Amino acid sequence: MTASPQPSTGTDPADLRVGATWRDAPCPVLVLDRHGTPVRVNEAARRLLPETARDGRPPHAVPSWLSDAHRRIADGPHTPAAGPLTGAIDDRVFAAHPTRAADGDVVWWLVEETDRRLAEAALRSARLRSEILSEVSSTLLSTLNVSRCAEVTASLAAEHLAEAAVLITPPQGRRHRLTYACQGGPVTQVIRQADVSSVPGLAETLQGFPPVPARWLNPDDLPAWVVPDEFTGPVGSVLVTPLPGHGVPAGALILLRAGTERVFTEGEEVFARLFAARAGAALSAARLYTEQSSITATLLRELLPPALGSVHGVEYAGGYRAAADHERVGGDFYDVHPGSDPTQETLVVLGDVAGKGLDAAVLTGKIRNTLHALLPLAEDHQRVVSLLNGTLLSSRHTRFATLVLASVRRRGGRAHLRLTSAGHLPPLILRADSTVEEVATHGTLVGAVPEVRVRTVETVLAPGEICLLYTDGITEARGGPLGDEMFGEARLRRALGECAGMPVEAVVERVRMLAAQWLGSGGHDDMAVVAIGAARTGPLSVVDGGNGGRST
């Protein structure tokens, strides 16, 4: 039996070599012979490379990068390529995957990677911008100095956003602080009058309004003060963006680029605003810290104990140590209010407010101010203490205080003192023969009960003799060999007795030093010491029968 002939399928031999499905592949496919000439192309390749469909198939029909790759594969060993080759066709990117045919032809499958490349580029850009913003935040937040923060902002902006940057802060009077930076150049700051209205949108930006798009700004309209001296070439593109702060704008940032080919894109404008938001927050924090530091310094100047010296022939010295080493003020205080002339008494006040830290310091300031207002009544210690007690009872503070008042006047070569204790430790007198006396004054602490009673004692200091006022931070300093024993009044008396002949400054320093040594590294309360001494110069005079004491 003779077999019937099979119908012709009309299949091209080339299709049999590479598979018939290549013509219907969604990606461009080219079959190149060993010479790099297109033999077959599918419809997708014909649309991508229309030259390959013409008769004669000119050499330039295949992209040069694909021809070079084909030549390397055709001339090389019959092994598959290590990986896909990539190249551009028009504005699109393709990865070329080769498949060898038996007759030496190579089938090139072109898989488009344009979207993947764009996504990867966008991801890299996003990562880079995230790193830049992280650097901006960490760098700017590491300083709370406004000037330094402005310098860093302008420098980072010139490095990452443009070729030059100008940071302008809100006006101080009629002047602005301008910070200039160029890529790779120094950062300079000037304070000058600047007409912000001459830059479109700048005046509104400094008031916190949204920025003007860069495409609306004409670089030719920029005034000379905007362009840094180190900036080379004409300005081709400019961007103005606000620096938002905490409640109020922190300033504005002007970005400059040379030439017209690198205009600010919409994405770059968005990134510039993100950069400015970080910088504005840091600048605002630095400015707020500076303002608060200035206020704190001003208040501290009023709360810190005054520097003491000689007043109307009487020597004064004082020392203070807060309970916490990082604090400068606390609940202990002292003041010396000189008399208007040598015939008038000088009022010395040393006190101790219950508690420590800022709350105690605030009440301390109130007591000091009240006592200053009561200076015209200083001759009557009882009245001064009573009025101060009423003031503290009527305030919102629930703390009480102890204090000692000393009214001092020099007569001849002696210092005459009137001493009054209001719940405070009694003063100590160091006589010329090294004996130490306790002044028998006592009274009720202030700010605790409606009525206070005090006892005033008068005494006289001969030249070289010293009256010591101190707070319980000295006597109750806990330390010693075992770390749990108080310094105590007995040790203080012995230490004071060893100071005979010393000037008042040395006496205060020795008492403070001994208390500090006793404490070691342990905690302690606030400490305050004041020494009052009769100067060794001048004639002596006997008042009230000598240098004994008299009670009133």
Coordinates of all heavy atoms in Angstrom, one line a residue, residues 14-72:
A14 N 13.5 28.5 8.6 CA 14.0 29.3 9.7 C 13.1 29.1 11.0 O 13.6 29.1 12.1 CB 14.2 30.7 9.3
D15 N 11.8 29.0 10.7 CA 10.9 28.8 11.8 C 11.2 27.5 12.5 O 11.1 27.4 13.7 CB 9.5 28.9 11.4 CG 9.1 30.3 10.9 OD1 9.9 31.2 11.1 OD2 8.0 30.4 10.3
L16 N 11.6 26.5 11.7 CA 11.9 25.2 12.3 C 13.1 25.3 13.2 O 13.2 24.5 14.2 CB 12.0 24.1 11.2 CG 10.7 23.9 10.4 CD1 11.1 22.9 9.3 CD2 9.6 23.3 11.3
R17 N 14.0 26.2 12.8 CA 15.3 26.3 13.6 C 15.1 26.9 15.0 O 15.7 26.5 15.9 CB 16.3 27.1 12.8 CG 16.8 26.3 11.6 CD 18.1 26.9 11.1 NE 17.9 28.3 10.7 CZ 17.6 28.7 9.4 NH1 17.4 27.8 8.5 NH2 17.4 30.0 9.2
V18 N 14.2 27.9 15.0 CA 14.1 28.7 16.3 C 12.8 28.5 17.0 O 12.6 29.1 18.0 CB 14.4 30.2 16.0 CG1 15.8 30.4 15.4 CG2 13.3 30.7 15.0
G19 N 11.9 27.8 16.3 CA 10.6 27.6 16.9 C 9.6 28.6 16.3 O 9.9 29.8 16.2
A20 N 8.4 28.1 16.0 CA 7.4 29.0 15.3 C 6.8 30.1 16.2 O 6.3 31.1 15.7 CB 6.3 28.1 14.8
T21 N 6.9 29.9 17.5 CA 6.3 30.9 18.4 C 7.0 32.2 18.5 O 6.5 33.1 19.0 CB 6.2 30.3 19.8 OG1 7.5 29.9 20.3 CG2 5.3 29.1 19.8
W22 N 8.2 32.3 18.0 CA 9.0 33.5 18.1 C 8.3 34.7 17.4 O 8.5 35.8 17.8 CB 10.4 33.3 17.6 CG 10.5 33.2 16.1 CD1 10.3 32.1 15.3 CD2 10.8 34.2 15.2 NE1 10.4 32.4 14.0 CE2 10.8 33.7 13.9 CE3 11.1 35.6 15.3 CZ2 11.0 34.4 12.7 CZ3 11.3 36.3 14.2 CH2 11.3 35.8 12.9
R23 N 7.6 34.3 16.3 CA 6.9 35.4 15.5 C 5.8 36.1 16.3 O 5.5 37.2 16.1 CB 6.4 34.9 14.2 CG 7.4 34.5 13.2 CD 6.8 33.9 12.0 NE 6.0 32.8 12.2 CZ 5.3 32.2 11.3 NH1 5.3 32.6 10.0 NH2 4.5 31.1 11.6
D24 N 5.2 35.3 17.3 CA 4.1 35.9 18.1 C 4.6 36.3 19.4 O 3.8 36.7 20.3 CB 3.1 34.8 18.3 CG 2.5 34.3 16.9 OD1 2.4 35.1 16.0 OD2 2.2 33.1 16.8
A25 N 5.9 36.3 19.7 CA 6.4 36.8 21.0 C 6.0 38.2 21.2 O 6.1 39.1 20.3 CB 7.9 36.6 21.0
P26 N 5.7 38.6 22.5 CA 5.3 40.0 22.8 C 6.5 40.9 22.7 O 6.3 42.2 22.6 CB 4.7 39.9 24.1 CG 5.3 38.7 24.8 CD 5.5 37.7 23.6
C27 N 7.7 40.4 22.8 CA 8.9 41.2 22.8 C 9.5 41.2 21.4 O 9.3 40.2 20.6 CB 9.9 40.8 23.8 SG 10.5 39.1 23.6
P28 N 10.3 42.2 21.0 CA 11.0 42.2 19.7 C 12.0 41.0 19.7 O 12.8 40.8 20.6 CB 11.7 43.5 19.7 CG 11.0 44.4 20.6 CD 10.5 43.5 21.7
V29 N 12.0 40.3 18.5 CA 12.9 39.2 18.3 C 13.6 39.4 16.9 O 12.9 39.6 15.9 CB 12.2 37.8 18.3 CG1 13.2 36.7 18.1 CG2 11.5 37.7 19.7
L30 N 14.9 39.3 16.8 CA 15.6 39.4 15.6 C 16.5 38.2 15.4 O 17.1 37.7 16.4 CB 16.5 40.6 15.6 CG 15.9 42.0 15.7 CD1 15.8 42.4 17.1 CD2 16.8 43.0 14.9
V31 N 16.5 37.6 14.2 CA 17.4 36.5 13.9 C 18.5 37.1 13.0 O 18.3 37.7 11.9 CB 16.7 35.4 13.1 CG1 17.7 34.3 12.8 CG2 15.6 34.9 13.9
L32 N 19.8 37.1 13.5 CA 20.9 37.7 12.8 C 21.8 36.5 12.4 O 22.1 35.6 13.1 CB 21.7 38.6 13.7 CG 20.9 39.8 14.4 CD1 21.9 40.6 15.2 CD2 20.2 40.6 13.3
D33 N 22.3 36.6 11.1 CA 23.2 35.6 10.6 C 24.6 35.9 11.2 O 24.8 36.8 12.0 CB 23.3 35.5 9.1 CG 23.7 36.8 8.5 OD1 24.3 37.7 9.2 OD2 23.5 37.1 7.3
R34 N 25.6 35.0 10.8 CA 26.9 35.1 11.4 C 27.6 36.5 11.1 O 28.5 36.9 11.7 CB 27.8 34.0 10.9 CG 28.1 34.0 9.4 CD 28.9 32.8 9.0 NE 28.2 31.5 9.2 CZ 28.6 30.6 10.0 NH1 29.6 30.8 10.8 NH2 27.9 29.5 10.2
H35 N 27.1 37.2 10.0 CA 27.6 38.5 9.7 C 26.9 39.6 10.3 O 27.3 40.8 10.1 CB 27.6 38.6 8.1 CG 28.2 37.5 7.4 ND1 29.6 37.3 7.4 CD2 27.7 36.5 6.6 CE1 29.9 36.3 6.7 NE2 28.8 35.8 6.2
G36 N 25.9 39.4 11.1 CA 25.1 40.4 11.8 C 24.0 41.0 11.0 O 23.5 42.0 11.4
T37 N 23.7 40.3 9.9 CA 22.6 40.9 9.1 C 21.3 40.2 9.5 O 21.2 39.0 9.7 CB 22.8 40.5 7.6 OG1 24.1 41.0 7.2 CG2 21.8 41.1 6.7
P38 N 20.2 41.1 9.7 CA 18.9 40.5 10.0 C 18.4 39.5 9.0 O 18.4 39.8 7.8 CB 18.0 41.7 10.2 CG 18.9 42.9 10.3 CD 20.2 42.5 9.5
V39 N 18.0 38.3 9.5 CA 17.5 37.3 8.6 C 16.0 37.3 8.7 O 15.2 37.2 7.8 CB 18.1 35.9 8.9 CG1 17.4 34.8 8.1 CG2 19.6 36.0 8.7
R40 N 15.5 37.3 10.0 CA 14.1 37.3 10.2 C 13.8 38.3 11.4 O 14.7 38.4 12.3 CB 13.6 35.9 10.6 CG 13.9 34.8 9.6 CD 12.8 34.7 8.6 NE 11.6 34.2 9.1 CZ 10.5 34.1 8.3 NH1 10.5 34.4 7.1 NH2 9.4 33.6 8.9
V41 N 12.7 38.9 11.4 CA 12.3 39.8 12.5 C 10.8 39.5 12.8 O 10.0 39.2 11.8 CB 12.5 41.3 12.3 CG1 14.0 41.5 12.2 CG2 11.8 41.7 11.0
N42 N 10.4 39.6 14.0 CA 8.9 39.5 14.2 C 8.3 40.8 14.2 O 8.9 41.9 14.0 CB 8.6 38.7 15.6 CG 9.0 39.6 16.8 OD1 9.7 40.6 16.6 ND2 8.7 39.2 18.0
E43 N 7.0 40.8 14.4 CA 6.2 42.1 14.2 C 6.7 43.1 15.2 O 6.8 44.3 14.9 CB 4.7 41.8 14.3 CG 3.9 43.0 14.1 CD 4.0 43.6 12.7 OE1 4.4 42.8 11.7 OE2 3.8 44.8 12.5
A44 N 6.9 42.7 16.5 CA 7.3 43.7 17.5 C 8.7 44.3 17.2 O 8.9 45.5 17.4 CB 7.4 43.0 18.9
A45 N 9.6 43.5 16.6 CA 10.9 44.0 16.2 C 10.8 44.9 15.0 O 11.5 45.9 14.9 CB 11.9 42.9 15.9
R46 N 9.8 44.6 14.1 CA 9.6 45.4 12.9 C 9.1 46.8 13.3 O 9.5 47.8 12.7 CB 8.6 44.7 12.0 CG 8.5 45.4 10.6 CD 7.6 44.6 9.7 NE 8.3 43.3 9.3 CZ 7.9 42.1 9.7 NH1 6.8 42.0 10.5 NH2 8.5 41.0 9.3
R47 N 8.3 46.9 14.4 CA 7.8 48.2 14.8 C 8.9 49.0 15.6 O 9.0 50.2 15.4 CB 6.6 48.0 15.8 CG 5.3 47.5 15.1 CD 4.1 47.7 16.0 NE 4.3 46.9 17.2 CZ 3.9 45.7 17.4 NH1 3.3 45.1 16.4 NH2 4.0 45.1 18.5
L48 N 9.7 48.2 16.3 CA 10.8 48.9 17.0 C 11.9 49.3 16.1 O 12.4 50.4 16.2 CB 11.4 47.9 18.1 CG 12.5 48.5 18.9 CD1 12.1 49.6 19.8 CD2 13.1 47.3 19.8
L49 N 12.3 48.5 15.1 CA 13.4 48.8 14.2 C 12.9 48.7 12.7 O 13.0 47.6 12.1 CB 14.6 47.8 14.4 CG 15.2 47.8 15.8 CD1 16.1 46.6 16.0 CD2 15.9 49.1 16.0
P50 N 12.2 49.7 12.3 CA 11.6 49.5 10.9 C 12.6 49.4 9.8 O 12.3 48.8 8.8 CB 10.8 50.9 10.8 CG 11.4 51.8 11.8 CD 11.9 50.9 12.9
E51 N 13.8 49.8 10.0 CA 14.8 49.6 9.0 C 15.1 48.2 8.7 O 15.5 47.8 7.5 CB 16.1 50.3 9.4 CG 16.0 51.8 9.6 CD 15.9 52.5 8.2 OE1 16.2 51.8 7.2 OE2 15.5 53.7 8.2
T52 N 14.9 47.3 9.6 CA 15.2 45.9 9.4 C 14.2 45.2 8.4 O 14.4 44.1 7.9 CB 15.2 45.1 10.7 OG1 13.9 45.2 11.3 CG2 16.2 45.6 11.7
A53 N 13.1 45.9 8.2 CA 12.1 45.3 7.3 C 12.3 45.7 5.9 O 11.6 45.2 5.0 CB 10.7 45.7 7.8
R54 N 13.2 46.6 5.6 CA 13.4 47.0 4.2 C 14.3 46.0 3.4 O 15.1 45.3 4.0 CB 14.1 48.4 4.2 CG 13.2 49.5 4.8 CD 14.0 50.8 4.7 NE 13.2 51.9 5.3 CZ 13.6 53.1 5.4 NH1 14.8 53.5 5.0 NH2 12.8 54.0 5.9
D55 N 14.1 46.0 2.2 CA 15.0 45.1 1.3 C 16.4 45.6 1.4 O 16.7 46.8 1.4 CB 14.5 45.2 -0.1 CG 13.1 44.5 -0.3 OD1 12.7 43.7 0.6 OD2 12.4 44.9 -1.2
G56 N 17.3 44.7 1.5 CA 18.7 45.1 1.5 C 19.2 45.2 2.9 O 20.4 45.1 3.2
R57 N 18.3 45.4 3.9 CA 18.6 45.5 5.3 C 19.9 46.2 5.6 O 21.0 45.6 5.7 CB 18.7 44.0 5.9 CG 17.3 43.4 5.9 CD 17.4 42.0 6.5 NE 18.0 41.1 5.5 CZ 17.4 40.5 4.5 NH1 16.1 40.6 4.4 NH2 18.0 39.7 3.7
P58 N 19.9 47.5 5.5 CA 21.2 48.3 5.7 C 21.8 47.9 7.0 O 21.2 47.5 8.0 CB 20.7 49.7 5.7 CG 19.3 49.7 6.0 CD 18.8 48.4 5.5
P59 N 23.2 48.1 7.1 CA 23.9 47.7 8.4 C 23.4 48.5 9.6 O 23.4 48.0 10.7 CB 25.3 48.1 8.1 CG 25.4 48.1 6.6 CD 24.1 48.5 6.1
H60 N 22.9 49.7 9.4 CA 22.5 50.5 10.6 C 21.2 50.1 11.1 O 20.6 50.7 12.0 CB 22.5 52.0 10.3 CG 21.6 52.4 9.2 ND1 21.9 52.4 7.8 CD2 20.2 52.7 9.2 CE1 20.9 52.8 7.1 NE2 19.8 53.0 7.9
A61 N 20.6 49.1 10.5 CA 19.2 48.6 10.9 C 19.3 48.1 12.3 O 18.4 48.1 13.1 CB 18.7 47.6 10.0
V62 N 20.5 47.5 12.7 CA 20.7 46.9 14.0 C 21.5 47.9 14.9 O 22.5 48.4 14.4 CB 21.4 45.6 13.9 CG1 21.6 45.0 15.3 CG2 20.6 44.6 13.0
P63 N 21.0 48.2 16.1 CA 21.8 49.1 17.0 C 23.2 48.6 17.1 O 23.5 47.4 17.1 CB 21.1 49.0 18.3 CG 19.7 48.5 18.0 CD 19.8 47.6 16.8
S64 N 24.1 49.6 17.2 CA 25.6 49.3 17.3 C 25.9 48.4 18.5 O 26.7 47.5 18.4 CB 26.4 50.6 17.4 OG 26.0 51.3 18.5
W65 N 25.3 48.7 19.7 CA 25.6 47.8 20.8 C 25.2 46.4 20.6 O 25.9 45.5 21.1 CB 24.9 48.4 22.1 CG 23.4 48.4 22.1 CD1 22.6 49.4 21.6 CD2 22.6 47.4 22.5 NE1 21.3 49.1 21.8 CE2 21.2 47.8 22.3 CE3 22.8 46.1 23.1 CZ2 20.1 47.1 22.6 CZ3 21.6 45.3 23.4 CH2 20.3 45.8 23.2
L66 N 24.1 46.1 19.9 CA 23.7 44.8 19.6 C 24.6 44.1 18.5 O 24.9 43.0 18.6 CB 22.2 44.8 19.1 CG 21.5 43.4 18.9 CD1 21.6 42.6 20.2 CD2 20.1 43.6 18.4
S67 N 25.0 44.9 17.5 CA 25.9 44.4 16.5 C 27.2 44.0 17.2 O 27.8 42.9 16.8 CB 26.2 45.4 15.4 OG 25.0 45.8 14.8
D68 N 27.8 44.8 18.1 CA 29.0 44.4 18.8 C 28.8 43.2 19.6 O 29.7 42.3 19.6 CB 29.5 45.6 19.7 CG 29.8 46.8 18.9 OD1 30.1 46.7 17.6 OD2 29.9 47.9 19.5
A69 N 27.7 43.1 20.3 CA 27.5 41.9 21.1 C 27.3 40.6 20.2 O 27.9 39.5 20.5 CB 26.2 42.0 21.9
H70 N 26.7 40.8 19.1 CA 26.5 39.7 18.1 C 27.8 39.2 17.6 O 28.1 38.0 17.4 CB 25.5 40.1 17.0 CG 25.3 39.0 16.0 ND1 24.4 37.9 16.2 CD2 25.9 38.8 14.8 CE1 24.5 37.1 15.2 NE2 25.3 37.6 14.3
R71 N 28.7 40.2 17.3 CA 30.0 39.8 16.7 C 30.8 39.0 17.7 O 31.5 38.1 17.3 CB 30.7 41.1 16.2 CG 32.0 40.8 15.5 CD 32.4 42.0 14.7 NE 32.4 43.3 15.5 CZ 31.4 44.2 15.3 NH1 30.5 44.0 14.4 NH2 31.4 45.3 16.0
R72 N 30.8 39.4 19.0 CA 31.5 38.7 20.0 C 31.0 37.3 20.1 O 31.8 36.3 20.3 CB 31.4 39.4 21.3 CG 32.2 40.7 21.3 CD 32.4 41.2 22.8 NE 31.1 41.4 23.5 CZ 30.4 42.5 23.5 NH1 30.9 43.6 22.8 NH2 29.3 42.6 24.2

